[in-house]
Amino acid sequence: MEERSSQSEKSGSSRVGDAIGAITRHIREQELMPGDRLPSESRLSKDLKVSRTVVREAFRSLAAMRIIELNVGKRATISNIDHGAMSLIIEHGVHTEQINVQQIYDVRRTIETRIVTLAAIRRSDEEAKVILKLAQAMADSATDPAQLMEHDLAFHTALARASRNPVFELIVGAFQGITRQTWPIGWKSRTTAEARSTMIETHQRIASAVVAGDPQQAAEAMSKHFDESVHALLQAGLS
Amino acid sequence: MEERSSQSEKSGSSRVGDAIGAITRHIREQELMPGDRLPSESRLSKDLKVSRTVVREAFRSLAAMRIIELNVGKRATISNIDHGAMSLIIEHGVHTEQINVQQIYDVRRTIETRIVTLAAIRRSDEEAKVILKLAQAMADSATDPAQLMEHDLAFHTALARASRNPVFELIVGAFQGITRQTWPIGWKSRTTAEARSTMIETHQRIASAVVAGDPQQAAEAMSKHFDESVHALLQAGLS
DNA sequence: ATTCAAAACCTGTCATACAAGTTTAGGGAA
DNA sequence: TTCCCTAAACTTGTATGACAGGTTTTGAAT
């Protein structure tokens, strides 16, 4: 009954690390799907021959990565994929100066250019409607930065979803946290009314192209959007 | 001395969630950098007026995301960004059938085409040497799949590093876990000697282009690499 | 078969204890 | 003084027990 594999952290043996491995293995072997319940803490504690403390810390670790979900009174359940953890990881990277905002924008441009290309091809009519509505909502809240930002984020998320690739959606979501913190800087650096309305119009051009099912034009408009954004951030002296 | 913000999980109040928030805030306010030490568990336990259990679970959560690092006897320290958590998240998505392998390859193609473009422009001579050496190592281990795979992974990682954008490196790393599980499938589906040597030659073409500083050709070769890989996986009936 | 309340179960948090690893402080040697 | 080493002080990892709320299951009465 040895527990040799560690797979998790350093190399050494750690009860919690082993527990994480065992629980992960259990999920795979039982082919648990989102919503399915895991054994209780005491059950696992007995099976793995460790204290409940260890099982709880293992659960917390998995919950932090949004692999499982914890609720009081209920057993832990398998989660749907979620960008929450990735968002925090990216934010940490930026705050510790291991990543700068320009680098994030380069990745976003790369990803999102591909996203609109796919979205233009694959979007459903329903998705098209949502995308168009969000672009309009941006135009309507031109004087309310906080609201404008939320519509902007929702717009990019809607595009990612329309790409029909959950990994793109995950990555776009991962940048939301840090974007929320830097977006106002880019907005403030657009001092003229022209620059501001150009930004909104660009979003409308993207929306139109996706709705029209024109991948080329959608990609081009998205690229232009990022040119503007990067320019605005540089203007503001960001990184 | 209220602790109102929760920022972490659901919406409700959770001692652990609040602790995660408080610790994260502490890191930002004190502008802690990788390697810097956090207060001890008992210290935080006193400051936040919660039990050590709660602090420990909060620490575990942050450690799971590789935001901090835990070591016995030592205080927790701020981590360098690391793809470990993202790797597990992606693996979870695939195992629960929320993501399929083709979708991952589409994202990888998008990302890695951009990566080689940047690498061709920015690679240092040192990085060029490593990339070339890894491509050669792949050719040399053509008969040893396990080793070939490791060289392959190292090759893509080296390219990502040469792009000089840590976010690209992070994302490429995030796919390593699941790639390690699917790579053998792609390899086995290349049944002819031709298909196998073509795969290795393509990597050498990529390396040459990056070393030569030719972004166009590098991107083209990488694109071809993914055409082949996706073809091989489809052949194997993967998703 | 249905309903409902009690019993059984489950998670969140706290307190305490102790082994084992690390850091620090202080004293002694050079 | 400076350097080195050891003992004390501190820290983390794990276990155990307790109890307040939640949630699910059971079983009896309708």
Side-chain angles (χ1 to χ4, degrees), chain B residues 122-239:
Chain B
R122 304 185 183 161
R123 97 280 183 290
S124 68
D125 291 348
E126 185 56 43
E127 285 160 348
K129 218 159 63 182
V130 171
I131 290 165
L132 216 46
K133 200 169 59 188
L134 285 168
Q136 189 53 50
M138 284 180 70
D140 294 344
S141 51
T143 58
D144 181 347
Q147 209 178 332
L148 176 54
M149 176 177 84
E150 289 309 322
H151 290 319
D152 189 353
L153 292 171
F155 178 78
H156 288 271
T157 301
L159 287 172
R161 177 158 305 133
S163 79
R164 304 299 182 85
N165 183 332
V167 186
F168 281 124
E169 205 181 330
L170 191 62
I171 296 177
V172 167
F175 293 128
Q176 270 198 212
I178 195 65
T179 298
R180 227 179 272 277
Q181 294 174 41
T182 53
W183 190 98
I185 298 170
W187 182 248
K188 279 199 211 86
S189 89
R190 285 176 241 242
T191 49
T192 66
E194 276 77 21
R196 296 188 167 190
S197 60
T198 296
M199 185 266 210
I200 289 170
E201 279 157 20
T202 305
H203 279 84
Q204 286 179 311
R205 289 234 334 259
I206 295 168
S208 300
V210 168
V211 170
D214 185 338
Q216 245 86 43
Q217 202 165 335
E220 198 198 315
M222 181 60 87
S223 190
K224 176 155 298 180
H225 168 36
F226 275 100
D227 285 344
E228 291 170 15
S229 294
V230 167
H231 179 77
L233 288 171
L234 281 176
Q235 197 96 357
L238 237 183
S239 198

Side-chain angles (χ1 to χ4, degrees), chain A residues 123-159:
Chain A
R123 97 282 181 289
S124 68
D125 290 350
E126 185 55 43
E127 285 161 347
K129 217 158 67 182
V130 171
I131 289 165
L132 215 47
K133 200 169 62 189
L134 284 168
Q136 189 53 48
M138 283 180 70
D140 294 343
S141 51
T143 58
D144 181 347
Q147 211 180 330
L148 177 54
M149 176 176 84
E150 290 308 323
H151 290 319
D152 189 353
L153 291 172
F155 178 79
H156 288 271
T157 300
L159 288 172

Side-chain angles (χ1 to χ4, degrees), chain B residues 23-93:
Chain B
I23 295 165
T24 304
R25 217 174 314 126
H26 178 267
I27 293 174
R28 298 201 182 146
E29 282 167 6
Q30 303 297 312
E31 296 183 10
L32 299 185
M33 291 294 131
D36 288 352
R37 290 190 302 183
L38 267 67
S40 72
E41 295 173 357
S42 49
R43 178 76 265 174
L44 282 167
S45 157
K46 267 177 223 154
D47 292 352
L48 306 179
K49 297 199 228 303
V50 292
S51 67
R52 183 155 83 96
T53 306
V54 167
V55 174
R56 274 192 70 72
E57 292 190 8
F59 268 15
R60 279 286 180 206
S61 297
L62 293 168
M65 296 184 281
R66 309 294 205 276
I67 287 173
I68 67 174
E69 220 163 292
L70 305 177
N71 292 288
V72 342
K74 296 179 185 171
R75 302 241 288 272
T77 58
I78 308 296
S79 289
N80 287 305
I81 45 177
D82 177 278
H83 58 79
M86 288 196 180
S87 238
L88 293 180
I89 292 170
I90 299 284
E91 285 179 57
H92 174 252

Side-chain angles (χ1 to χ4, degrees), chain A residues 4-78:
Chain A
R4 275 286 132 249
S5 64
S6 75
Q7 84 90 269
S8 66
E9 206 67 46
K10 276 286 153 56
S11 54
S13 60
S14 133
R15 301 258 220 277
V16 174
D18 290 347
I20 293 174
I23 295 165
T24 304
R25 217 174 313 127
H26 178 267
I27 293 174
R28 299 203 182 145
E29 284 166 5
Q30 303 297 313
E31 295 183 13
L32 298 185
M33 292 292 131
D36 289 352
R37 289 190 304 183
L38 266 66
S40 72
E41 295 172 356
S42 47
R43 179 75 266 178
L44 281 169
S45 156
K46 267 176 223 155
D47 292 352
L48 306 179
K49 298 200 226 300
V50 293
S51 67
R52 184 154 83 99
T53 309
V54 167
V55 175
R56 273 191 70 72
E57 292 190 9
F59 269 14
R60 279 285 180 205
S61 297
L62 293 167
M65 297 184 281
R66 309 296 205 274
I67 287 174
I68 67 175
E69 220 162 290
L70 305 177
N71 292 289
V72 341
K74 297 179 186 169
R75 302 240 287 273
T77 58
I78 309 295

